[in-house]
Structure formats: structure tokens, C-alpha cells
Amino acid sequence: MLSYQHVYHAGNFADVHKHLIMFIILRNLLRKKSPVTYIDTHAGRGFYSLSEPESQKLKEYKKGVLPLWRERAALIGNERSDEGLLGEWLGELSRAQGVSAKQLTHYPGSPWWLSQALRHEDRLHLFELHPGEQQYLEAQVLPSNVRRHHGDGLAGLQRMLPVTTPRLCVLIDPSYERKQDYAEVVETLTFVSRKARHAVVMVWYPLLPTGQHQLLLDGVKQAGLRKLWCSELKLHTPGQEHGMYGSGLLLLNLPWGLDRQIENAMQRVAVCLGNEAGHREYWWVEE
Ligand code: SAM
């Protein structure tokens, strides 16, 4: 039974965290000519209007993308390299607004961010299980080298390996509605690391007061995976209340040098998100 719908959360601080890091990684992958297959195992509907009643219900974008959007005049065109990355990302976000480029009316999901990086020789596979979300995704106008699959993303990813392109980049972004999701992600990541040793894989996880993400981190360590790096963005310090206080991204095979770039860009994001916000990065398992 799937109840999660990302439209209630679109543009929140976790989306900013995940999509800005994706943007930095994609930019790096584009520096080489060899083709890339991208696989997004949990695509969502792809593009979100922030004026929908669902987005307006929780208004999470107000504590996520909106504070950054308000700073964009200072950040876009800033040539200092790592702050420049945040500015470039905001420039892309501005392009996603279409004719209303001066106003933040929409927030693009991972299929959009991945599509922007696609070259003719690359491939993008999008998996979505929720029938309603899949219908929205089908309605998106996307390049012809994008394939949409209605089905389970983790099983779909495993079936696709090995891919035909020299490089592979994967986003695993479950909603963690079921506790077993953590173990299934560990199993999938282990499988990917065996079948595609150099794949760059991004796994998103929530930071919850219950500390459930430790199941994921301990699981991949116990499975013997190496070259695992984590980025964690906290919106506030964990308190007694339920709910997500931070956003985590586990990276398998982070390209060399990106840890510094991401850290610098995310420190800037944290400043925009308020006094309690903070970012830390660490190698969970080195080479
Ligand atoms: N990756 C999207 C983005 O960044 O814009 C957000 C994805 S949202 C957190 C998770 C999505 O996964 C939901 O749309 C949900 O319907 C879908 N989902 C849940 N279980 C799934 C599964 N087993 N396979 C594929 N999609 C699934």
C-alpha cells in the first residue's frame, strides 16, 4: 500500500540537499565524453507546482528552496567556484520556472534534473510504482532517450545490470514507508557494487529521531562495501518531536574532489536555512 506522495514535500530542504548534490555530480560526469546510463529508481511525478493544494498544505518549500531562491541575485554569477555551483543550480531552477522565471512557482523533481544532463548518447531510466504518480510522470515532456517504467525500482535496477554504456549513475530515493526498505536498499547497493564496480550511486535517507538510517549505514559496512561517503544536512537539532530533522545522502564511488565542492556549497546552503541548520560530510568507509 503506497501512501507517500512527494508533492506534499516538494522543494523542502531534503530536495535541495539531494538535487544540489546530484547537480554537482552530473556536472562532473559531463566532463568526460563516454556515455552514461542514469537510473532513477524512485522517480516521483517529475515536476511539481508549488501552488497545488497538496504543496500548500505543509508549505515545506518555505523552509527549503525558498530561502535560497531569495538569495539568488547574490549567488547567481558569483564566480567563486563552490558558491558558484549553488548559483549555477539556482540558475537552472530559474530556467525550470519557464515564462515566470522571476517567480518561484514550480519545483522540478529528480527526473527533470537528470534530463537536463542528458546528451544524445546517454540513457535515462525512470521507475515509479505508484499508479497515480506514474500517470503524472508519463505526462511529462522528456527527451526521447528517457524510458519510463511502471514498477518496482530496486528490482528494475537489478534487472538492468550490467548496462551497455561505459558509465552508470544511479539515484535511489525511497520514501522509507516500510522499515524493510533500509535492508532492501542495502541488498540492492551490494548487488550494484558487484555488477557495476565503478557505478556512482546516490542513496537518499532521512535523519529521524529514531536513528533508523543507521540500519542502512551499518548494513552497507557489514556487506563489505567500500568507498562510501556521506553528506548530512540538518535543518534543526533533533528534539523530542517526531519527523525528519535532517537529510542524508550516501554516495558510492563519489568522483574524486567532489567532497570539498559539495561541502563548500552545502555550508552556504546551511547559512541560508537558518541558525540551527548545519552540514557535515564524512567518509563512512574509505577505499
Ligand atoms: N526522486 C524523486 C525526486 O527527487 O524528485 C522523489 C521520489 S519520492 C521520495 C519516492 C517515490 O517512490 C514516490 O513517488 C513513490 O510513489 C515511489 N515508490 C515507492 N515505492 C517504490 C518502488 N518500490 N519502486 C519505485 N517507486 C516507488
Side-chain angles (χ1 to χ4, degrees):
M1 168 69 182
L2 292 164
S3 55
Y4 181 91
Q5 282 180 279
H6 196 66
V7 62
Y8 287 95
H9 312 284
N12 68 3
F13 75 101
D15 267 357
V16 169
H17 178 225
K18 170 175 61 187
H19 296 144
L20 176 55
I21 293 181
M22 268 175 62
F23 175 75
I24 294 173
I25 290 174
L26 297 176
R27 207 170 154 279
N28 179 276
L29 291 177
L30 290 177
R31 289 168 59 184
K32 285 193 187 152
K33 280 194 175 145
S34 65
V36 187
T37 296
Y38 298 97
I39 301 178
D40 184 351
T41 59
H42 297 72
R45 60 177 73 172
F47 207 76
Y48 303 90
S49 160
L50 296 176
S51 56
E52 296 286 314
E54 292 93 334
S55 303
Q56 284 298 318
K57 189 163 181 205
L58 303 171
K59 296 188 170 73
E60 290 191 9
Y61 67 94
K62 290 199 169 181
K63 288 185 178 170
V65 66
L66 191 59
L68 293 163
W69 179 258
R70 290 192 172 134
E71 291 285 317
R72 73 192 187 287
L75 292 166
I76 294 178
N78 181 338
E79 293 304 321
R80 278 190 43 210
S81 60
D82 298 336
E83 284 195 3
L85 289 172
L86 178 55
E88 277 182 42
W89 182 78
L90 285 164
E92 287 290 294
L93 184 63
S94 176
R95 235 164 35 78
Q97 309 307 313
V99 283
S100 69
K102 290 205 171 93
Q103 277 184 349
L104 182 68
T105 56
H106 290 81
Y107 187 80
S110 50
W112 189 89
W113 292 103
L114 289 163
S115 301
Q116 299 311 299
L118 270 194
R119 300 163 301 184
H120 177 69
E121 60 277 24
D122 299 326
R123 297 284 173 270
L124 170 58
H125 294 272
L126 304 171
F127 288 88
E128 174 54 52
L129 190 58
H130 191 294
E133 297 301 281
Q134 171 67 12
Q135 269 188 7
Y136 278 108
L137 185 61
E138 286 292 343
Q140 301 294 334
V141 178
L142 294 171
S144 60
N145 45 353
V146 180
R147 292 280 173 276
R148 288 161 257 215
H149 309 262
H150 182 200
D152 179 69
L154 297 182
L157 165 62
Q158 296 198 23
R159 270 198 313 274
M160 295 199 76
L161 302 184
V163 293
T164 52
T165 52
R167 295 187 292 162
L168 170 65
C169 176
V170 180
L171 172 66
I172 299 178
D173 183 20
S175 38
Y176 297 101
E177 288 170 273
R178 308 166 311 143
K179 201 175 171 190
Q180 62 265 39
D181 286 342
Y182 294 94
E184 288 175 10
V185 171
V186 171
E187 191 227 313
T188 306
L189 201 55
T190 309
F191 185 88
V192 174
S193 74
R194 291 204 186 109
K195 289 274 181 186
R197 276 198 326 121
H198 302 292
V200 176
V201 187
M202 304 170 260
V203 180
W204 182 81
Y205 57 87
L207 294 176
L208 300 165
T210 52
Q212 290 197 25
H213 68 285
Q214 210 55 45
L215 293 170
L216 169 68
L217 298 187
D218 291 343
V220 287
K221 193 181 254 183
Q222 279 157 18
L225 300 197
R226 316 205 68 75
K227 221 179 163 198
L228 295 166
W229 179 83
C230 290
S231 158
E232 293 181 353
L233 178 67
K234 284 182 194 169
L235 190 58
H236 51 79
T237 41
Q240 297 302 314
E241 74 277 16
H242 296 293
M244 183 169 73
Y245 67 85
S247 161
L249 212 61
L250 172 69
L251 260 299
L252 174 66
N253 294 323
L254 179 74
W256 188 85
L258 293 198
D259 48 351
R260 289 291 106 222
Q261 290 189 5
I262 293 172
E263 165 69 357
N264 292 340
M266 293 312 305
Q267 286 297 350
R268 189 71 186 88
V269 168
V271 169
C272 294
L273 293 185
N275 290 342
E276 283 193 48
H279 178 258
R280 74 168 184 142
E281 49 91 23
Y282 56 95
W283 283 96
W284 177 237
V285 186
E286 294 202 51
E287 292 212 50

mmCIF file of all heavy atoms in Angstrom, residues 2 4-6 15 18-19 22 40-46 48 108-111 127-130 133 151-154 171 173-175 177-178 204, ligand 1:
data_model
loop_
_atom_site.group_PDB
_atom_site.id
_atom_site.type_symbol
_atom_site.label_atom_id
_atom_site.label_comp_id
_atom_site.label_asym_id
_atom_site.label_seq_id
_atom_site.Cartn_x
_atom_site.Cartn_y
_atom_site.Cartn_z
ATOM 1 N N LEU A 2 0.814 2.011 -1.074
ATOM 2 C CA LEU A 2 1.663 3.199 -1.190
ATOM 3 C C LEU A 2 0.852 4.424 -0.817
ATOM 4 O O LEU A 2 -0.162 4.710 -1.441
ATOM 5 C CB LEU A 2 2.134 3.347 -2.636
ATOM 6 C CG LEU A 2 3.098 2.296 -3.175
ATOM 7 C CD1 LEU A 2 3.153 2.357 -4.689
ATOM 8 C CD2 LEU A 2 4.475 2.507 -2.576
ATOM 9 N N TYR A 4 2.666 7.482 0.239
ATOM 10 C CA TYR A 4 3.526 8.656 0.116
ATOM 11 C C TYR A 4 3.324 9.359 -1.234
ATOM 12 O O TYR A 4 3.326 8.711 -2.282
ATOM 13 C CB TYR A 4 4.993 8.230 0.256
ATOM 14 C CG TYR A 4 5.954 9.391 0.169
ATOM 15 C CD1 TYR A 4 6.353 10.059 1.313
ATOM 16 C CD2 TYR A 4 6.450 9.822 -1.065
ATOM 17 C CE1 TYR A 4 7.231 11.131 1.233
ATOM 18 C CE2 TYR A 4 7.322 10.893 -1.146
ATOM 19 C CZ TYR A 4 7.706 11.538 0.000
ATOM 20 O OH TYR A 4 8.572 12.598 -0.087
ATOM 21 N N GLN A 5 3.181 10.662 -1.185
ATOM 22 C CA GLN A 5 3.167 11.451 -2.430
ATOM 23 C C GLN A 5 4.107 12.626 -2.237
ATOM 24 O O GLN A 5 3.949 13.430 -1.309
ATOM 25 C CB GLN A 5 1.758 11.945 -2.747
ATOM 26 C CG GLN A 5 0.872 10.875 -3.347
ATOM 27 C CD GLN A 5 -0.493 11.445 -3.629
ATOM 28 O OE1 GLN A 5 -1.332 11.554 -2.735
ATOM 29 N NE2 GLN A 5 -0.720 11.842 -4.855
ATOM 30 N N HIS A 6 5.085 12.723 -3.126
ATOM 31 C CA HIS A 6 6.144 13.710 -2.927
ATOM 32 C C HIS A 6 5.656 15.154 -3.062
ATOM 33 O O HIS A 6 6.293 16.073 -2.542
ATOM 34 C CB HIS A 6 7.300 13.427 -3.905
ATOM 35 C CG HIS A 6 8.551 14.135 -3.515
ATOM 36 N ND1 HIS A 6 9.252 13.838 -2.361
ATOM 37 C CD2 HIS A 6 9.222 15.172 -4.092
ATOM 38 C CE1 HIS A 6 10.292 14.644 -2.263
ATOM 39 N NE2 HIS A 6 10.289 15.461 -3.295
ATOM 40 N N ASP A 15 14.997 17.993 -0.574
ATOM 41 C CA ASP A 15 15.074 18.076 -2.040
ATOM 42 C C ASP A 15 16.256 18.951 -2.454
ATOM 43 O O ASP A 15 16.997 18.631 -3.384
ATOM 44 C CB ASP A 15 13.781 18.686 -2.615
ATOM 45 C CG ASP A 15 12.759 17.626 -3.003
ATOM 46 O OD1 ASP A 15 13.058 16.420 -2.885
ATOM 47 O OD2 ASP A 15 11.648 18.014 -3.425
ATOM 48 N N LYS A 18 19.488 16.930 -1.869
ATOM 49 C CA LYS A 18 19.633 15.825 -2.843
ATOM 50 C C LYS A 18 19.893 16.359 -4.251
ATOM 51 O O LYS A 18 20.807 15.908 -4.930
ATOM 52 C CB LYS A 18 18.315 15.036 -2.776
ATOM 53 C CG LYS A 18 18.066 14.002 -3.778
ATOM 54 C CD LYS A 18 16.746 13.282 -3.422
ATOM 55 C CE LYS A 18 15.532 14.179 -3.418
ATOM 56 N NZ LYS A 18 14.294 13.578 -2.923
ATOM 57 N N HIS A 19 19.120 17.346 -4.679
ATOM 58 C CA HIS A 19 19.217 17.793 -6.073
ATOM 59 C C HIS A 19 20.447 18.662 -6.313
ATOM 60 O O HIS A 19 20.994 18.654 -7.420
ATOM 61 C CB HIS A 19 17.932 18.528 -6.488
ATOM 62 C CG HIS A 19 16.729 17.632 -6.460
ATOM 63 N ND1 HIS A 19 15.482 18.043 -6.077
ATOM 64 C CD2 HIS A 19 16.603 16.299 -6.742
ATOM 65 C CE1 HIS A 19 14.628 17.033 -6.147
ATOM 66 N NE2 HIS A 19 15.284 15.955 -6.544
ATOM 67 N N MET A 22 23.207 16.123 -6.612
ATOM 68 C CA MET A 22 23.064 15.478 -7.933
ATOM 69 C C MET A 22 23.610 16.382 -9.024
ATOM 70 O O MET A 22 24.317 15.946 -9.924
ATOM 71 C CB MET A 22 21.567 15.240 -8.237
ATOM 72 C CG MET A 22 21.042 13.915 -7.808
ATOM 73 S SD MET A 22 19.258 13.867 -8.102
ATOM 74 C CE MET A 22 19.153 14.051 -9.853
ATOM 75 N N ASP A 40 16.945 6.164 -12.195
ATOM 76 C CA ASP A 40 16.288 6.810 -11.048
ATOM 77 C C ASP A 40 15.243 5.793 -10.568
ATOM 78 O O ASP A 40 14.226 5.585 -11.238
ATOM 79 C CB ASP A 40 15.645 8.110 -11.551
ATOM 80 C CG ASP A 40 15.011 8.929 -10.449
ATOM 81 O OD1 ASP A 40 14.910 8.450 -9.312
ATOM 82 O OD2 ASP A 40 14.595 10.075 -10.751
ATOM 83 N N THR A 41 15.524 5.147 -9.430
ATOM 84 C CA THR A 41 14.667 4.012 -9.025
ATOM 85 C C THR A 41 13.325 4.451 -8.434
ATOM 86 O O THR A 41 12.389 3.659 -8.389
ATOM 87 C CB THR A 41 15.386 3.136 -7.977
ATOM 88 O OG1 THR A 41 15.710 3.952 -6.844
ATOM 89 C CG2 THR A 41 16.640 2.493 -8.547
ATOM 90 N N HIS A 42 13.253 5.674 -7.921
ATOM 91 C CA HIS A 42 12.019 6.172 -7.307
ATOM 92 C C HIS A 42 11.800 7.595 -7.834
ATOM 93 O O HIS A 42 12.179 8.574 -7.194
ATOM 94 C CB HIS A 42 12.135 6.195 -5.778
ATOM 95 C CG HIS A 42 12.321 4.843 -5.161
ATOM 96 N ND1 HIS A 42 13.494 4.133 -5.267
ATOM 97 C CD2 HIS A 42 11.465 4.069 -4.425
ATOM 98 C CE1 HIS A 42 13.358 2.978 -4.628
ATOM 99 N NE2 HIS A 42 12.140 2.914 -4.112
ATOM 100 N N ALA A 43 11.198 7.679 -9.003
ATOM 101 C CA ALA A 43 11.227 8.949 -9.753
ATOM 102 C C ALA A 43 10.227 9.982 -9.247
ATOM 103 O O ALA A 43 10.453 11.181 -9.370
ATOM 104 C CB ALA A 43 10.974 8.662 -11.233
ATOM 105 N N GLY A 44 9.098 9.540 -8.701
ATOM 106 C CA GLY A 44 8.032 10.504 -8.390
ATOM 107 C C GLY A 44 7.398 11.004 -9.683
ATOM 108 O O GLY A 44 7.607 10.445 -10.756
ATOM 109 N N ARG A 45 6.664 12.112 -9.595
ATOM 110 C CA ARG A 45 5.937 12.569 -10.795
ATOM 111 C C ARG A 45 6.793 13.481 -11.691
ATOM 112 O O ARG A 45 6.421 13.765 -12.813
ATOM 113 C CB ARG A 45 4.607 13.223 -10.426
ATOM 114 C CG ARG A 45 4.694 14.431 -9.544
ATOM 115 C CD ARG A 45 3.312 15.047 -9.298
ATOM 116 N NE ARG A 45 2.489 14.262 -8.401
ATOM 117 C CZ ARG A 45 1.324 14.682 -7.926
ATOM 118 N NH1 ARG A 45 0.848 15.873 -8.289
ATOM 119 N NH2 ARG A 45 0.624 13.937 -7.100
ATOM 120 N N GLY A 46 7.902 13.977 -11.171
ATOM 121 C CA GLY A 46 8.865 14.656 -12.044
ATOM 122 C C GLY A 46 8.879 16.160 -11.988
ATOM 123 O O GLY A 46 9.926 16.771 -12.177
ATOM 124 N N TYR A 48 6.661 19.677 -10.047
ATOM 125 C CA TYR A 48 5.646 19.984 -9.034
ATOM 126 C C TYR A 48 5.279 21.462 -9.067
ATOM 127 O O TYR A 48 6.167 22.327 -9.062
ATOM 128 C CB TYR A 48 6.187 19.644 -7.632
ATOM 129 C CG TYR A 48 6.603 18.197 -7.526
ATOM 130 C CD1 TYR A 48 7.916 17.802 -7.843
ATOM 131 C CD2 TYR A 48 5.695 17.204 -7.156
ATOM 132 C CE1 TYR A 48 8.305 16.473 -7.785
ATOM 133 C CE2 TYR A 48 6.071 15.868 -7.095
ATOM 134 C CZ TYR A 48 7.379 15.514 -7.413
ATOM 135 O OH TYR A 48 7.749 14.194 -7.365
ATOM 136 N N PRO A 108 11.264 21.358 -9.722
ATOM 137 C CA PRO A 108 11.489 20.159 -10.522
ATOM 138 C C PRO A 108 12.019 19.000 -9.684
ATOM 139 O O PRO A 108 12.869 19.193 -8.809
ATOM 140 C CB PRO A 108 12.540 20.614 -11.547
ATOM 141 C CG PRO A 108 13.200 21.815 -10.963
ATOM 142 C CD PRO A 108 12.332 22.374 -9.876
ATOM 143 N N GLY A 109 11.529 17.798 -9.980
ATOM 144 C CA GLY A 109 11.989 16.596 -9.278
ATOM 145 C C GLY A 109 13.194 15.967 -9.965
ATOM 146 O O GLY A 109 13.696 16.475 -10.988
ATOM 147 N N SER A 110 13.641 14.845 -9.434
ATOM 148 C CA SER A 110 14.874 14.221 -9.945
ATOM 149 C C SER A 110 14.815 13.904 -11.448
ATOM 150 O O SER A 110 15.832 14.062 -12.134
ATOM 151 C CB SER A 110 15.218 12.967 -9.139
ATOM 152 O OG SER A 110 14.117 12.100 -9.026
ATOM 153 N N PRO A 111 13.658 13.468 -12.038
ATOM 154 C CA PRO A 111 13.648 13.204 -13.489
ATOM 155 C C PRO A 111 14.031 14.445 -14.294
ATOM 156 O O PRO A 111 14.701 14.347 -15.320
ATOM 157 C CB PRO A 111 12.203 12.788 -13.766
ATOM 158 C CG PRO A 111 11.731 12.215 -12.470
ATOM 159 C CD PRO A 111 12.366 13.081 -11.428
ATOM 160 N N PHE A 127 11.935 4.802 -12.841
ATOM 161 C CA PHE A 127 10.993 3.820 -12.286
ATOM 162 C C PHE A 127 10.072 4.516 -11.296
ATOM 163 O O PHE A 127 10.515 5.323 -10.468
ATOM 164 C CB PHE A 127 11.747 2.700 -11.546
ATOM 165 C CG PHE A 127 12.468 1.763 -12.460
ATOM 166 C CD1 PHE A 127 13.763 2.029 -12.868
ATOM 167 C CD2 PHE A 127 11.840 0.613 -12.936
ATOM 168 C CE1 PHE A 127 14.428 1.169 -13.737
ATOM 169 C CE2 PHE A 127 12.497 -0.247 -13.804
ATOM 170 C CZ PHE A 127 13.795 0.031 -14.205
ATOM 171 N N GLU A 128 8.789 4.170 -11.369
ATOM 172 C CA GLU A 128 7.822 4.687 -10.395
ATOM 173 C C GLU A 128 6.739 3.616 -10.215
ATOM 174 O O GLU A 128 6.221 3.080 -11.193
ATOM 175 C CB GLU A 128 7.225 6.021 -10.884
ATOM 176 C CG GLU A 128 6.114 6.585 -10.035
ATOM 177 C CD GLU A 128 6.438 6.750 -8.549
ATOM 178 O OE1 GLU A 128 7.454 7.351 -8.201
ATOM 179 O OE2 GLU A 128 5.640 6.253 -7.721
ATOM 180 N N LEU A 129 6.442 3.315 -8.958
ATOM 181 C CA LEU A 129 5.496 2.227 -8.657
ATOM 182 C C LEU A 129 4.056 2.713 -8.465
ATOM 183 O O LEU A 129 3.108 2.029 -8.814
ATOM 184 C CB LEU A 129 5.977 1.499 -7.384
ATOM 185 C CG LEU A 129 5.284 0.196 -7.006
ATOM 186 C CD1 LEU A 129 5.381 -0.839 -8.124
ATOM 187 C CD2 LEU A 129 5.884 -0.375 -5.726
ATOM 188 N N HIS A 130 3.901 3.904 -7.914
ATOM 189 C CA HIS A 130 2.558 4.413 -7.599
ATOM 190 C C HIS A 130 1.820 4.736 -8.910
ATOM 191 O O HIS A 130 2.298 5.559 -9.702
ATOM 192 C CB HIS A 130 2.706 5.682 -6.754
ATOM 193 C CG HIS A 130 1.430 6.161 -6.142
ATOM 194 N ND1 HIS A 130 0.377 6.640 -6.878
ATOM 195 C CD2 HIS A 130 1.056 6.248 -4.854
ATOM 196 C CE1 HIS A 130 -0.598 7.006 -6.069
ATOM 197 N NE2 HIS A 130 -0.213 6.769 -4.829
ATOM 198 N N GLU A 133 1.168 8.523 -9.507
ATOM 199 C CA GLU A 133 2.412 9.267 -9.756
ATOM 200 C C GLU A 133 2.959 8.922 -11.140
ATOM 201 O O GLU A 133 3.470 9.770 -11.859
ATOM 202 C CB GLU A 133 3.458 8.949 -8.681
ATOM 203 C CG GLU A 133 3.057 9.352 -7.279
ATOM 204 C CD GLU A 133 2.775 10.845 -7.154
ATOM 205 O OE1 GLU A 133 3.715 11.642 -7.068
ATOM 206 O OE2 GLU A 133 1.576 11.196 -7.159
ATOM 207 N N GLY A 151 6.818 0.264 -12.191
ATOM 208 C CA GLY A 151 7.158 -0.954 -11.461
ATOM 209 C C GLY A 151 8.138 -0.670 -10.347
ATOM 210 O O GLY A 151 8.487 0.491 -10.088
ATOM 211 N N ASP A 152 8.580 -1.729 -9.714
ATOM 212 C CA ASP A 152 9.473 -1.619 -8.568
ATOM 213 C C ASP A 152 10.882 -1.204 -9.031
ATOM 214 O O ASP A 152 11.495 -1.879 -9.863
ATOM 215 C CB ASP A 152 9.527 -2.952 -7.827
ATOM 216 C CG ASP A 152 10.471 -2.883 -6.651
ATOM 217 O OD1 ASP A 152 10.152 -2.183 -5.688
ATOM 218 O OD2 ASP A 152 11.551 -3.502 -6.710
ATOM 219 N N GLY A 153 11.393 -0.134 -8.476
ATOM 220 C CA GLY A 153 12.651 0.435 -8.940
ATOM 221 C C GLY A 153 13.878 -0.374 -8.544
ATOM 222 O O GLY A 153 14.846 -0.440 -9.312
ATOM 223 N N LEU A 154 13.860 -0.969 -7.364
ATOM 224 C CA LEU A 154 15.051 -1.710 -6.935
ATOM 225 C C LEU A 154 15.186 -2.994 -7.749
ATOM 226 O O LEU A 154 16.280 -3.330 -8.216
ATOM 227 C CB LEU A 154 14.989 -2.019 -5.431
ATOM 228 C CG LEU A 154 14.970 -0.784 -4.513
ATOM 229 C CD1 LEU A 154 14.964 -1.202 -3.044
ATOM 230 C CD2 LEU A 154 16.148 0.143 -4.784
ATOM 231 N N LEU A 171 20.308 6.967 -8.878
ATOM 232 C CA LEU A 171 19.709 7.619 -7.709
ATOM 233 C C LEU A 171 18.704 6.651 -7.101
ATOM 234 O O LEU A 171 17.793 6.167 -7.792
ATOM 235 C CB LEU A 171 18.985 8.914 -8.103
ATOM 236 C CG LEU A 171 18.160 9.550 -6.971
ATOM 237 C CD1 LEU A 171 19.041 10.042 -5.823
ATOM 238 C CD2 LEU A 171 17.290 10.692 -7.487
ATOM 239 N N ASP A 173 16.021 6.720 -4.155
ATOM 240 C CA ASP A 173 15.384 7.741 -3.309
ATOM 241 C C ASP A 173 14.024 7.256 -2.801
ATOM 242 O O ASP A 173 12.977 7.803 -3.151
ATOM 243 C CB ASP A 173 15.232 9.028 -4.154
ATOM 244 C CG ASP A 173 14.654 10.178 -3.366
ATOM 245 O OD1 ASP A 173 14.710 10.149 -2.119
ATOM 246 O OD2 ASP A 173 14.143 11.124 -4.007
ATOM 247 N N PRO A 174 14.040 6.216 -1.951
ATOM 248 C CA PRO A 174 12.761 5.667 -1.482
ATOM 249 C C PRO A 174 12.083 6.595 -0.469
ATOM 250 O O PRO A 174 12.726 7.492 0.084
ATOM 251 C CB PRO A 174 13.160 4.356 -0.778
ATOM 252 C CG PRO A 174 14.619 4.171 -1.034
ATOM 253 C CD PRO A 174 15.177 5.515 -1.359
ATOM 254 N N SER A 175 10.814 6.318 -0.197
ATOM 255 C CA SER A 175 10.114 7.116 0.814
ATOM 256 C C SER A 175 10.218 6.462 2.197
ATOM 257 O O SER A 175 9.777 7.050 3.178
ATOM 258 C CB SER A 175 8.657 7.311 0.406
ATOM 259 O OG SER A 175 8.158 6.149 -0.188
ATOM 260 N N GLU A 177 8.673 4.118 3.677
ATOM 261 C CA GLU A 177 7.398 3.924 4.382
ATOM 262 C C GLU A 177 7.418 2.629 5.184
ATOM 263 O O GLU A 177 6.662 2.461 6.123
ATOM 264 C CB GLU A 177 6.244 3.881 3.382
ATOM 265 C CG GLU A 177 5.920 5.233 2.777
ATOM 266 C CD GLU A 177 4.955 5.104 1.619
ATOM 267 O OE1 GLU A 177 5.408 4.895 0.475
ATOM 268 O OE2 GLU A 177 3.741 5.211 1.855
ATOM 269 N N ARG A 178 8.248 1.692 4.759
ATOM 270 C CA ARG A 178 8.342 0.396 5.446
ATOM 271 C C ARG A 178 9.762 0.239 5.999
ATOM 272 O O ARG A 178 10.740 0.611 5.336
ATOM 273 C CB ARG A 178 8.073 -0.754 4.469
ATOM 274 C CG ARG A 178 6.786 -0.627 3.670
ATOM 275 C CD ARG A 178 6.784 -1.600 2.503
ATOM 276 N NE ARG A 178 8.017 -1.522 1.753
ATOM 277 C CZ ARG A 178 8.629 -2.568 1.197
ATOM 278 N NH1 ARG A 178 8.118 -3.777 1.308
ATOM 279 N NH2 ARG A 178 9.752 -2.428 0.524
ATOM 280 N N TRP A 204 19.479 8.324 -0.965
ATOM 281 C CA TRP A 204 18.972 9.308 -0.002
ATOM 282 C C TRP A 204 18.427 8.594 1.231
ATOM 283 O O TRP A 204 17.865 7.492 1.123
ATOM 284 C CB TRP A 204 17.860 10.167 -0.640
ATOM 285 C CG TRP A 204 17.374 11.196 0.335
ATOM 286 C CD1 TRP A 204 17.957 12.388 0.622
ATOM 287 C CD2 TRP A 204 16.235 11.078 1.201
ATOM 288 N NE1 TRP A 204 17.259 13.032 1.614
ATOM 289 C CE2 TRP A 204 16.209 12.248 1.995
ATOM 290 C CE3 TRP A 204 15.256 10.106 1.407
ATOM 291 C CZ2 TRP A 204 15.224 12.478 2.959
ATOM 292 C CZ3 TRP A 204 14.273 10.326 2.373
ATOM 293 C CH2 TRP A 204 14.258 11.514 3.120
HETATM 294 N N1 SAM B 1 13.196 11.013 -6.554
HETATM 295 C C1 SAM B 1 12.096 11.965 -6.532
HETATM 296 C C2 SAM B 1 12.673 13.367 -6.611
HETATM 297 O O1 SAM B 1 13.811 13.589 -6.141
HETATM 298 O O2 SAM B 1 12.005 14.242 -7.166
HETATM 299 C C3 SAM B 1 11.233 11.799 -5.299
HETATM 300 C C4 SAM B 1 10.833 10.402 -5.024
HETATM 301 S S1 SAM B 1 9.776 10.175 -3.658
HETATM 302 C C5 SAM B 1 10.812 10.450 -2.290
HETATM 303 C C6 SAM B 1 9.604 8.428 -3.658
HETATM 304 C C7 SAM B 1 8.767 7.896 -4.803
HETATM 305 O O3 SAM B 1 8.967 6.484 -4.870
HETATM 306 C C8 SAM B 1 7.274 8.078 -4.639
HETATM 307 O O4 SAM B 1 6.770 8.705 -5.783
HETATM 308 C C9 SAM B 1 6.707 6.664 -4.505
HETATM 309 O O5 SAM B 1 5.445 6.515 -5.126
HETATM 310 C C10 SAM B 1 7.748 5.866 -5.233
HETATM 311 N N2 SAM B 1 7.874 4.446 -4.829
HETATM 312 C C11 SAM B 1 7.604 3.842 -3.650
HETATM 313 N N3 SAM B 1 7.987 2.554 -3.668
HETATM 314 C C12 SAM B 1 8.527 2.337 -4.881
HETATM 315 C C13 SAM B 1 9.155 1.210 -5.514
HETATM 316 N N4 SAM B 1 9.258 0.039 -4.854
HETATM 317 N N5 SAM B 1 9.637 1.350 -6.758
HETATM 318 C C14 SAM B 1 9.517 2.531 -7.436
HETATM 319 N N6 SAM B 1 8.936 3.628 -6.896
HETATM 320 C C15 SAM B 1 8.462 3.531 -5.651
#
